[in-house]
Amino acid sequence: FFFLISSIVVSFLLSSYTGSLWLEVQQFLQGVSFGVTDPIFNLDASFYVFQLPFWRLLYTYLQTMVILTILVAGFIYFVTDPPVQVGRKVIFFPSRGQGHLSLLLTFAFILKAWDYRLKMFELLLSPRGAIFGPGYTDLNANLPALWILFFLTLGICIVLIYNIYRRQSRLIFSSVAILIGASLVVGNIYPSLVQQFRVEPNEFAYERPFLEHNINYTLKAYGLDDVRTENYPAREELEWEDLEKDADTLQNVRLWDYRPLLDTYKQLQGIRPYYDFASVDTDRYILDGQYRQVMLSVREMDQTQLAEQARTWVNTRLQYTHGYGLTMSPVTGVSPQGLPEFTIGDIPPVVKGGLKLSRPEIYYGELSSDYVIVNSNTREFDYPMGDTNVYTRYEGTGGIPLSNLGRRLLYALKFSDYRILISSEITDESRIMLNRPVRERAYRIAPFLRYDADPYPVIAGGGIYWILDAYTTTNNFPYSEPFGGINYMRNSVKVVIDAYNGTVDYYIVDPSDPLVATYAKIFPVLFKSLEEMPEEIKAHLRYPETLLSLQAQVFATYHMADPVVFYNREDLWQIPNEKYRGTVQPVEPYYTILELPGEENPEFVLILPFTPTTRDNMIAWMAGRSDGENYGELVVYLFPKDRVVFGPMQIETRIDQNTLISQQLVLW
């Protein structure tokens, strides 16, 4: 009976954690081909991304189960039949136990042989050597060593099967000792000798083909293999005709930085202490028929800023439930007092430029952390008006109806709040809204995606929506150099969250991405095509800063396609520095409207400059396009190498050295 109960408990422990591996299983079953084969085993990249992780998990599970069984069985044999000395020999297990343990060890060694086979494929993800992926030593020393250990392990399995009938403990211990010794000599010492005495004295000659693999597959993994590269003349003189030609660009030159502008919004548009702005975002709208770049921020409810005596349960859960409206100002607009010119501002919102905002309430946002209950007997605060307040009643579909006692009981237990159950203010028409932060809301629905840290608001159809960039990532793409713990990234999904109703829609913007195609097969109802996205929202899609920052970090090294130049790091770039409030920091990607070289119309782009690692002059700049059919295209413009083009820090230095400008800055 004891052994039966123990078996049940161990079986439960061995299987209880496997439920968390459902995604790996689904990816293994539904994985979509990448159409990219590795140069060593000629297998599609999907094998390394979807199949190999599953096989490794399965091996770990089975081997753990077998080893635990061996330990438990060995302990039982040891206790029930203690070691006895017969002459000069010590018999640790009776013959019956030796046969059983030999069978179990046979299973363990068969699995170990499988482990060596998996390790051969995992060489494609090797972090050793000059680059990520297998190098000369991996393929000419480690790979043959793994084949030797693979066949040696199979030979040991034959010996152990023979020992099931022979039942000699000497064969068991000898088999284990032989494999350990062979692993040490063949698997560790020999590859180290090859690396130290053959490869390192002439590393480039041996590693050159593997450097080429690393360059090619890294560019593919980060979507940099089709970057359009053009020479940029960088003229030093401008004529009046040039300024007239680029009038649309000049009308959208950003005069406002989002960091001090956030403080300005809070001071001028906070209206009441309990309103707050989480961040300032950059976008573009058609204002009075003109394509204009704007900065905007949503006015959200921050209940922690209510007066302490006003932070009652009724106020925080039933009355002060939502924020109200947003603030928008053109990037070039400055009043005579040096303040932003508001296209949208005040409460109730004053809207200019031809925009429409008929549903300004914000129930779901960046600061909406706690649950609230709407449509109760308590009037909801909508917005202040002079010395009085305007109240409202929720008219949307957000939240979950508290239509019966059972639901109220469940949510009272969930939030450990008995007032949900006993409050007479809550009716059958009341709705409870939870998971209101937009990033948390999206993550709870699709935790397998990686989400951007900066959702941004969009006005569409008279309402306010949040757009959140979602990324597909993996660290198992063959031969691709890891950056930030991943070695493959795509911005394949745009998540749209209704600020009023809380509905969450996932749109695929890059159907060519095999990872998102696999997720779409696993969750066929979750994802929608880009064609289903409303046009008003589609017009505000942006090239994400997170993606461009990572791509720029990769491209700073991997623009060197020549293996010789790459190996010697002869043309290494970096993200330049700038000064902000007296502190030197890396330049951030920058949204702006400009007319790209060779294009006929201004467009909304995300740009970032490059400088050499040893100098501050600008050598190139990267632009991620966002408008229309050009969305997602990446362009790199190269500056002439025969003369100096000032970089950001050099411009900062020239400003500091200009006496007139320096005096004015100090005065201001």
Side-chain angles (χ1 to χ4, degrees):
F1 178 78
F2 171 77
F3 292 145
L4 175 62
I5 297 300
S6 300
S7 299
I8 293 174
V9 171
V10 171
S11 299
F12 173 77
L13 294 176
L14 287 173
S15 59
S16 59
Y17 77 95
T18 56
S20 61
L21 306 177
W22 61 271
L23 183 59
E24 286 81 358
V25 175
Q26 286 294 327
Q27 288 178 328
F28 173 77
L29 297 174
Q30 310 267 14
V32 173
S33 171
F34 278 72
V36 177
T37 57
D38 78 82
I40 306 302
F41 298 111
N42 293 318
L43 294 173
D44 189 87
S46 61
F47 172 81
Y48 301 94
V49 176
F50 300 131
Q51 299 183 38
L52 189 57
F54 171 79
W55 292 127
R56 173 55 64 187
L57 288 171
L58 184 61
Y59 162 77
T60 302
Y61 175 76
L62 294 176
Q63 189 69 290
T64 301
M65 181 176 62
V66 171
I67 290 176
L68 285 177
T69 304
I70 291 173
L71 293 176
V72 172
F75 176 76
I76 292 173
Y77 284 124
F78 188 86
V79 172
T80 55
D81 289 302
V84 296
Q85 184 167 351
V86 180
R88 294 184 178 181
K89 289 180 60 178
V90 177
I91 300 177
F92 286 93
F93 300 107
S95 59
R96 177 171 56 89
Q98 293 176 27
H100 185 198
L101 292 176
S102 294
L103 178 61
L104 293 175
L105 281 172
T106 301
F107 292 146
F109 275 86
I110 290 174
L111 289 172
K112 188 60 182 176
W114 185 30
D115 174 46
Y116 289 130
R117 186 69 178 123
L118 294 178
K119 286 181 178 179
M120 297 179 196
F121 298 115
E122 289 171 344
L123 289 175
L124 269 292
L125 308 173
S126 170
R128 298 185 296 267
I131 43 85
F132 185 84
Y136 179 88
T137 301
D138 287 312
L139 295 184
N140 293 276
N142 285 303
L143 184 59
L146 289 171
W147 276 116
I148 292 172
L149 294 172
F150 173 78
F151 287 112
L152 176 62
T153 306
L154 292 180
I156 292 175
C157 290
I158 296 174
V159 173
L160 291 173
I161 292 174
Y162 168 75
N163 195 54
I164 295 175
Y165 305 98
R166 186 76 178 187
R167 300 183 181 182
Q168 294 183 0
S169 58
R170 174 172 53 86
L171 291 179
I172 296 177
F173 293 113
S174 299
S175 298
V176 175
I178 289 173
L179 185 60
I180 293 175
S183 299
L184 182 63
V185 175
V186 179
N188 293 303
I189 297 178
Y190 173 65
S192 298
L193 294 175
V194 171
Q195 177 68 25
Q196 184 174 356
F197 294 104
R198 185 167 189 177
V199 176
E200 289 184 3
N202 195 13
E203 188 175 44
F204 178 73
Y206 285 106
E207 300 288 6
R208 175 167 185 151
F210 309 108
L211 290 172
E212 293 176 351
H213 298 330
N214 178 256
I215 293 171
N216 294 334
Y217 285 82
T218 298
L219 292 175
K220 291 179 185 294
Y222 296 100
L224 295 169
D225 54 328
D226 58 351
V227 171
R228 180 160 59 89
T229 304
E230 296 185 3
N231 292 320
Y232 190 77
R235 292 166 48 199
E236 295 182 354
E237 296 182 358
L238 287 175
E239 303 294 338
W240 182 256
E241 291 77 11
D242 297 319
L243 300 180
E244 290 181 329
K245 179 183 176 182
D246 292 327
D248 291 333
T249 298
L250 294 176
Q251 289 176 1
N252 287 284
V253 172
R254 279 174 58 178
L255 302 181
W256 291 98
D257 186 280
Y258 70 93
R259 289 159 288 199
L261 185 60
L262 178 61
D263 295 332
T264 303
Y265 280 176
K266 290 182 178 182
Q267 291 291 328
L268 300 180
Q269 289 292 315
I271 311 297
R272 291 289 189 273
Y274 42 76
Y275 285 131
D276 198 6
F277 297 94
S279 62
V280 174
D281 295 290
T282 307
D283 205 347
R284 69 285 197 198
Y285 285 82
I286 304 296
L287 302 180
D288 293 325
Q290 292 185 320
Y291 189 55
R292 301 296 300 275
Q293 185 179 185
V294 301
M295 306 187 86
L296 68 166
S297 185
V298 169
R299 186 184 293 105
E300 297 191 61
M301 174 67 67
D302 184 1
Q303 295 178 341
T304 62
Q305 299 303 315
L306 289 170
E308 185 174 353
Q309 63 271 20
R311 275 181 248 159
T312 64
W313 185 83
V314 170
N315 280 346
T316 58
R317 296 291 180 257
L318 307 181
Q319 190 165 89
Y320 291 89
T321 57
H322 59 277
Y324 198 84
L326 54 79
T327 293
M328 177 189 293
S329 58
V331 296
T332 56
V334 182
S335 71
Q337 293 77 30
L339 301 175
E341 291 182 346
F342 294 109
T343 301
I344 301 178
D346 299 333
I347 296 178
V350 177
V351 183
K352 305 175 184 177
L355 299 177
K356 295 181 179 179
L357 184 58
S358 56
R359 182 59 74 186
E361 298 90 344
I362 310 295
Y363 285 90
Y364 300 85
E366 295 183 86
L367 301 178
S368 309
S369 56
D370 295 324
Y371 77 90
V372 294
I373 299 174
V374 297
N375 291 350
S376 66
N377 290 329
T378 300
R379 295 186 302 170
E380 277 187 75
F381 169 77
D382 203 22
Y383 60 87
M385 179 172 285
D387 296 332
T388 61
N389 293 329
V390 176
Y391 295 90
T392 187
R393 186 171 179 83
Y394 184 70
E395 298 175 351
T397 59
I400 302 169
L402 297 175
S403 54
N404 55 61
L405 184 62
R407 290 190 178 187
R408 293 174 64 173
L409 175 60
L410 288 175
Y411 284 106
L413 294 173
K414 175 180 176 60
F415 294 109
S416 301
D417 194 339
Y418 65 91
R419 286 162 291 200
I420 298 177
L421 184 62
I422 66 172
S423 176
S424 59
E425 298 296 301
I426 300 176
T427 69
D428 290 344
E429 296 181 0
S430 299
R431 307 174 74 91
I432 184 169
M433 294 181 175
L434 57 155
N435 301 325
R436 296 194 298 143
V438 291
R439 289 188 74 248
E440 175 189 342
R441 194 168 184 80
Y443 177 80
R444 285 180 176 269
I445 296 173
F448 46 84
L449 296 174
R450 179 174 294 198
Y451 295 95
D452 199 280
D454 183 29
Y456 62 97
V458 167
I459 299 174
I464 299 174
Y465 296 83
W466 296 93
I467 296 181
L468 177 61
D469 289 289
Y471 307 97
T472 55
T473 62
T474 182
N475 57 2
N476 290 319
F477 196 84
Y479 260 121
S480 174
E481 194 73 26
F483 286 82
I486 60 173
N487 68 353
Y488 176 96
M489 187 176 189
R490 291 287 190 278
N491 174 222
S492 300
V493 178
K494 301 287 186 180
V495 186
V496 179
I497 303 102
D498 188 332
Y500 187 70
N501 292 311
T503 55
V504 184
D505 294 305
Y506 292 77
Y507 295 96
I508 296 177
V509 295
D510 184 7
S512 64
D513 174 25
L515 272 172
V516 79
T518 299
Y519 294 143
K521 288 179 64 178
I522 299 173
F523 308 99
V525 181
L526 178 63
F527 295 98
K528 299 179 180 180
S529 66
L530 184 59
E531 289 72 23
E532 298 178 74
M533 180 183 288
E535 290 297 327
E536 281 191 87
I537 295 179
K538 190 186 300 184
H540 295 279
L541 298 183
R542 306 186 313 187
Y543 202 102
E545 293 183 54
T546 301
L547 179 61
L548 188 81
S549 296
L550 179 63
Q551 289 177 318
Q553 183 183 357
V554 176
F555 198 74
T557 301
Y558 283 85
H559 69 276
M560 298 179 287
D562 186 331
V564 178
V565 178
F566 179 85
Y567 178 77
N568 294 317
R569 298 296 196 267
E570 295 177 12
D571 190 23
L572 195 63
W573 297 351
Q574 66 179 0
I575 308 301
N577 290 323
E578 65 173 344
K579 288 183 180 178
Y580 178 72
R581 290 185 175 177
T583 302
V584 176
Q585 62 183 35
V587 172
E588 298 178 356
Y590 190 85
Y591 286 110
T592 188
I593 289 179
L594 55 79
E595 187 175 304
L596 291 176
E599 301 296 331
E600 298 181 355
N601 298 306
E603 58 183 285
F604 190 70
V605 295
L606 181 64
I607 62 175
L608 189 63
F610 292 103
T611 61
T613 55
T614 56
R615 300 187 303 278
D616 288 330
N617 60 287
M618 195 150 65
I619 196 169
W621 60 288
M622 176 180 283
R625 306 177 72 178
S626 299
D627 286 351
E629 296 180 355
N630 296 320
Y631 174 81
E633 183 181 353
L634 209 55
V635 190
V636 174
Y637 297 96
L638 304 175
F639 287 109
K641 294 186 178 181
D642 57 353
R643 57 189 173 89
V644 173
V645 177
F646 289 138
M649 283 302 294
Q650 290 173 322
I651 296 295
E652 298 269 16
T653 302
R654 293 192 67 188
I655 292 173
D656 292 340
Q657 292 174 347
N658 187 299
T659 306
L660 178 61
I661 297 178
S662 298
Q663 288 176 350
Q664 291 296 322
L665 289 176
V666 171
L667 177 63
W668 292 335

